[in-house]
Amino acid sequence: MTRRRPSSRKPRQPASAKAKGPGRLRLIGGDFRRRQLPVLDRPGLRPTPDRVRETLFNWLATAVPGARVLDLFAGTGALGLEALSRGARQAVFVERDAQVARQLDDNLRALKATERAQLVTADAQAFLAGAPTPFSLVFLDPPFRQELAGTCCRALEAGWLAEEAVIYVETESSLPPEVPASWQLHREVRAGDSTGRLYRRHPPGAGSPGGDAC
């Protein structure tokens, strides 16, 4: 009987046991097209998928250039960065996680976009409780299962929106947001367990919207 020699090789680790490195965010259009930026591996940090971003910014083709943008619950900043890449005049990013905010600040510096960007390290609801200034384009992508979307949508109506602002809200597909009566659903896109909805604001007395372009 031949005995096997004990192997000197270390057993392979399953893929799930390997250390997970930082992720990457790829910008898909505009001046920063194809730029890849590091993002932190943090629970709940989920950049809007490339396919959804491409669809969204096709819808927003005429709304982004020159826009003043608010990216609430910014996280990786994927939506606000994409807007800056495509000609937004200014973007304000609101992110309460200090480490995530630092990475976003590093990415803004890497893109040389700090002159058109403001990063606020704060809770989104606390930010909206402050003195408002109007934005023409708002991205609202709150953490799931915390029922924050409806509250923030209502808070935005306290002076944060330009008269005909465009608002993108991303939530769980099973929990559509309650939005103000002046917001009209324009388009929606679904990816996995989330649905993105694009609204156009029409203040009372503005009359019925015409056409279908953003």
Side-chain angles (χ1 to χ4, degrees), residues 146-199:
Q146 296 186 30
E147 300 184 3
L148 293 169
T151 301
C152 290
C153 288
R154 290 189 294 273
L156 284 169
E157 278 293 327
W160 293 102
L161 299 175
E163 283 194 2
E164 297 184 355
V166 179
I167 310 102
Y168 174 76
V169 184
E170 190 171 321
T171 64
E172 308 96 307
S173 296
S174 60
L175 191 64
E178 295 183 8
V179 303
S182 57
W183 296 14
Q184 182 184 51
L185 180 63
H186 177 55
R187 299 280 177 84
E188 64 179 52
V189 59
R190 183 166 180 171
D193 63 348
S194 68
T195 296
R197 296 175 175 86
L198 187 66
Y199 297 91

Side-chain angles (χ1 to χ4, degrees), residues 24-28 34-37 50 53 82:
R24 307 290 292 179
L25 167 66
R26 182 174 69 93
L27 299 178
I28 57 178
R34 296 194 180 94
R35 290 290 298 271
Q36 296 198 31
L37 303 167
D50 287 11
R53 270 187 289 138
E82 199 75 55

Side-chain angles (χ1 to χ4, degrees), residues 111-133:
L111 294 171
K112 296 182 172 59
T114 54
E115 289 185 2
R116 291 187 292 142
Q118 179 185 356
L119 178 59
V120 181
T121 306
D123 177 82
Q125 290 178 293
F127 174 82
L128 292 176
T133 55

Side-chain angles (χ1 to χ4, degrees), residues 38-165:
V39 298
L40 296 181
D41 176 24
R42 303 283 280 183
L45 193 61
R46 42 175 186 80
T48 300
D50 287 11
R51 178 181 66 81
V52 174
R53 270 187 289 138
E54 185 168 11
T55 298
L56 172 62
F57 280 91
N58 284 340
W59 296 342
L60 294 173
T62 60
V64 173
R68 188 164 187 262
V69 177
L70 175 60
D71 191 351
L72 281 169
F73 304 97
T76 64
L79 297 176
L81 291 173
E82 199 75 55
L84 286 175
S85 181
R86 296 167 187 254
R89 175 168 56 91
Q90 182 190 25
V92 176
F93 299 85
V94 181
E95 172 54 49
R96 71 177 181 179
D97 185 310
Q99 287 186 317
V100 174
R102 279 196 295 272
Q103 181 64 72
L104 177 52
D105 184 56
D106 288 345
N107 288 343
L108 286 166
R109 293 176 187 280
L111 294 171
K112 296 182 172 59
T114 54
E115 289 185 2
R116 291 187 292 142
Q118 179 185 356
L119 178 59
V120 181
T121 306
D123 177 82
Q125 290 178 293
F127 174 82
L128 292 176
T133 55
F135 292 85
S136 55
L137 175 59
V138 175
F139 299 117
L140 178 59
D141 183 9
F144 283 1
R145 290 174 287 279
Q146 296 186 30
E147 300 184 3
L148 293 169
T151 301
C152 290
C153 288
R154 290 189 294 273
L156 284 169
E157 278 293 327
W160 293 102
L161 299 175
E163 283 194 2
E164 297 184 355

